[in-house]
Amino acid sequence: MKTIYSILLIALISTVHYGQQTIKGKITDYEGDDAEIILPVENPKIIGSVSENGKFIIQLEDEMASAVTETLEKSNAKSDIRIVNNSVGRAFYCDSDDVVTINGEQMIESVTRRGTFFMGILEDKKMVGKLQLANSSTFVDSYFSFGKKDYVTGYYIDFYYVNEAASVKGICKTKAYTLDMKSTFFYIHDYDIDLKKGWNIVKIEITEVYEDQEGHLRPLKYRMSTLDKLPKDVQYIFTPGDKL
């Protein structure tokens, strides 16, 4: 009995670990040809594939994080403007004792750019479009307009890599002023981040919006959390395009 339990435990651990490294799904309304998922580093890498029926698979490997770091370091060497490597403490920042950060100096890398995977044909140097994991295309359109459109509640998924475990826990309140500077309110960031060594699924969510004095909807409450697996309601959103 003990042997069977041990086998089941190992299988469970392997499944969770595998789930953090491999992403599979189907883009519902994809009408393109076979394509590749490309990591746009200095020497671009194929990290997945998409078939003409929209089924895709992305394999996350440890070396991808190294490739992102190397590209950033080479960009810094060629430019007078230095881009600082992101850390856990900066990625999930809060200047308050209400949030407890462990190993915040640990460097963190993302395999996407603003939550986006890039699709194309590497050999032809051709871009096909973008793939994002989110609860809706409406949320993606609003969130990544960066204030040009009204915000809505919802979430998108990103993938972060760390070499050592780190965590950020707590609710961060940031004081802000209304447009007329007569009243104050608080932006809320709810952190439930528990990063394991390797690739991690991170959910970035707007849980509440407010209407400002000009009638625009803005984010009021955010929640950022790590997940063991993708949410059941996640959608695989494809946007055609030929530019990064």
Side-chain angles (χ1 to χ4, degrees), residues 58-183:
I58 301 171
Q59 187 70 41
L60 302 183
E61 303 288 352
D62 291 354
E63 64 182 19
M64 294 176 192
S66 299
V68 173
T69 300
E70 289 171 7
T71 297
L72 182 60
E73 289 173 348
K74 289 180 179 180
S75 296
N76 283 335
K78 296 176 183 178
S79 174
D80 292 333
I81 302 175
R82 182 169 180 78
I83 303 173
V84 179
N85 281 22
N86 213 5
S87 67
V88 172
R90 286 193 292 267
F92 308 104
Y93 177 76
C94 183
D95 184 18
S96 169
D97 293 336
D98 294 334
V99 174
V100 178
T101 300
I102 298 175
N103 207 4
E105 70 281 0
Q106 176 65 214
M107 291 297 106
I108 187 171
E109 296 289 3
S110 174
V111 74
T112 68
R113 184 180 299 174
R114 293 175 177 171
T116 300
F117 290 100
F118 296 98
M119 294 169 50
I121 308 297
L122 185 57
E123 185 177 1
D124 298 337
K125 298 181 179 180
K126 176 185 176 183
M127 273 289 294
V128 171
K130 302 174 182 179
L131 173 63
Q132 291 163 303
L133 281 62
N135 71 302
S136 72
S137 57
T138 301
F139 177 78
V140 167
D141 289 341
S142 67
Y143 189 91
F144 292 103
S145 73
F146 303 105
K148 294 179 181 178
K149 297 181 180 180
D150 283 344
Y151 284 87
V152 298
T153 56
Y155 70 84
Y156 77 95
I157 299 295
D158 212 337
F159 298 85
Y160 290 99
Y161 183 92
V162 289
N163 281 312
E164 298 178 11
S167 64
V168 183
K169 304 278 186 174
I171 295 177
C172 185
K173 296 181 179 181
T174 304
K175 188 175 181 179
Y177 286 87
T178 56
L179 292 176
D180 61 8
M181 302 299 288
K182 293 181 179 179
S183 302

Side-chain angles (χ1 to χ4, degrees), residues 9 19 29 41 54 76 82 109 122 128 140 147 217 223 229 232 237:
L9 181 60
D29 299 320
V41 290
N76 283 335
R82 182 169 180 78
E109 296 289 3
L122 185 57
V128 171
V140 167
L217 297 179
R223 177 174 169 80
K229 58 184 178 180
K232 291 183 178 180
I237 300 164

Side-chain angles (χ1 to χ4, degrees), residues 189-201:
H189 284 75
D190 183 355
Y191 294 124
D192 186 16
I193 299 296
D194 189 9
L195 299 166
K196 310 298 185 183
K197 175 178 169 58
W199 288 104
N200 296 265
I201 303 171

